[in-house]
């Protein structure tokens, strides 16, 4: 069953803690993306990757880091430098940049 | 950078009525896409229209694109309660051909 899987569904972060959100796809897509969504808002681009071992910053990359060591995986780390991390995080993939996106079901991150 | 801007922000209609949402953007594009999001879920791709196309249909959905006015509209005919969701337009940045940029969305409420 092809798709894109995000985990966990809910995540809680303590002050000063780094947390990592998982995103895995088995669609054989080259491009992967991380978006942040705040309540009642649209999606803002954090990072994207068009190919393994390469990624680019989006509009709101500060306080976040990513890696793309495997085609299937694009984990997002929310660092302690991100002072307002509470949001809904969405991972997506596509065959190539600018084409139809397939989204995961999202991770809700909250601060304890 | 916010590329697409939807209008209206919220729309309430009765079942059976048509719903029209509009999207305006700022720069040249290769394509424009519409997505749907149910509350607390990931986005689902609805339709993609390329810059050399003027109209596209998919089931009860009709999308138009006017590149001279940098605008698009999404028409949902014979709305159902199950159409209740948020709808987003997204565009690619023509120069870079990179990640999609999303608008803030239109929240559609269809009552029976």
């Amino acid at each position: 069953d092809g798709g894109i899987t995000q985990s966990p569904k809910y995540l809680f972060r303590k002050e000063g803690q780094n947390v990592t959100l998982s995103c895995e796809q088995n669609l054989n897509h080259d491009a992967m993306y991380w978006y942040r969504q705040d309540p009642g808002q649209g999606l803002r681009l954090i990072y994207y990757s068009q190919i393994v071992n390469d990624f680019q910053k989006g509009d709101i990359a500060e306080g976040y880091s990513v890696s793309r060591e495997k085609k299937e995986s694009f984990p997002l780390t929310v660092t302690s430098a991100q002072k307002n991390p509470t949001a809904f995080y969405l991972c997506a993939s596509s065959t190539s940049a600018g084409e139809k996106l397939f989204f995961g079901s999202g991770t809700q991150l909250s601060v304890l | 950078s916010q590329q697409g801007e939807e209008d209206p922000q919220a729309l309430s209609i009765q079942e059976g009525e048509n719903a029209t949402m509009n999207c305006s953007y700022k720069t040249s594009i290769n394509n424009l896409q519409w997505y749907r999001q149910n509350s607390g879920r990931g986005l689902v791709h609805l339709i993609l229209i390329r810059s050399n196309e003027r109209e596209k249909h998919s089931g009860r959905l009709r999308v138009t694109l006017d590149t001279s006015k940098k605008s698009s509209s999404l028409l949902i005919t014979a709305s159902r309660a199950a159409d209740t969701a948020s709808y987003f337009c997204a565009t690619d940045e023509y120069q870079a051909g990179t990640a999609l940029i999303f608008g803030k969305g239109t929240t559609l409420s269809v009552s029976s």
Side-chain angles (χ1 to χ4, degrees):
Chain A
D1 194 19
I4 183 163
T5 302
Q6 288 187 243
S7 63
K9 189 169 177 63
Y10 300 97
L11 187 58
F12 297 90
R13 194 192 87 166
K14 297 179 182 178
E15 289 288 334
Q17 186 182 42
N18 293 354
V19 293
T20 297
L21 285 61
S22 171
C23 179
E24 303 276 334
Q25 55 100 357
N26 60 5
L27 300 168
N28 200 32
H29 285 169
D30 286 317
M32 296 187 74
Y33 314 80
W34 277 104
Y35 289 92
R36 169 180 170 144
Q37 185 177 33
D38 292 280
Q41 299 296 310
L43 279 66
R44 291 186 290 168
L45 181 66
I46 305 173
Y47 269 99
Y48 65 99
S49 167
Q50 298 190 61
I51 197 168
V52 174
N53 292 322
D54 189 43
F55 48 82
Q56 287 78 41
K57 293 181 179 180
D59 295 326
I60 55 166
E62 187 174 348
Y64 301 97
S65 66
V66 293
S67 63
R68 187 84 188 278
E69 297 176 1
K70 297 187 300 181
K71 188 175 186 177
E72 303 79 20
S73 179
F74 192 40
L76 174 74
T77 296
V78 183
T79 74
S80 56
Q82 173 49 247
K83 299 306 179 187
N84 184 24
T86 297
F88 190 53
Y89 290 85
L90 287 158
C91 179
S93 69
S94 64
T95 52
S96 60
E99 293 300 314
K100 171 182 172 180
L101 294 181
F102 292 77
F103 280 86
S105 55
T107 293
Q108 176 63 51
L109 175 62
S110 303
V111 176
L112 288 176
Chain B
S1 55
Q2 200 83 37
Q3 175 73 313
E5 291 290 337
E6 292 90 343
D7 170 62
Q9 289 187 340
L11 182 60
S12 293
I13 59 173
Q14 298 284 323
E15 264 193 330
E17 294 180 339
N18 294 344
T20 300
M21 289 159 259
N22 302 296
C23 170
S24 59
Y25 57 92
K26 297 185 178 73
T27 65
S28 296
I29 59 171
N30 286 317
N31 68 64
L32 184 144
Q33 303 180 36
W34 286 91
Y35 288 82
R36 166 195 168 123
Q37 183 182 34
N38 286 81
S39 182
R41 310 291 292 273
L43 279 71
V44 174
H45 181 266
L46 294 176
I47 199 163
L48 180 154
I49 186 166
R50 300 204 182 272
S51 59
N52 61 352
E53 297 175 308
R54 290 298 167 257
E55 187 171 313
K56 208 161 182 181
H57 296 254
S58 177
R60 293 184 296 112
L61 304 180
R62 173 179 168 249
V63 169
T64 61
L65 178 64
D66 187 336
T67 53
S68 66
K69 295 181 179 178
K70 292 187 171 57
S71 68
S72 173
S73 67
L74 170 67
L75 169 68
I76 304 174
T77 60
S79 296
R80 306 164 182 169
D83 294 327
T84 295
S86 292
Y87 293 83
F88 296 89
C89 71
T91 57
D92 58 349
E93 293 185 23
Y94 182 76
Q95 292 295 329
T98 56
L100 294 183
I101 305 298
F102 285 78
K104 294 184 178 181
T106 292
T107 299
L108 173 65
S109 177
V110 183
S111 54
S112 54

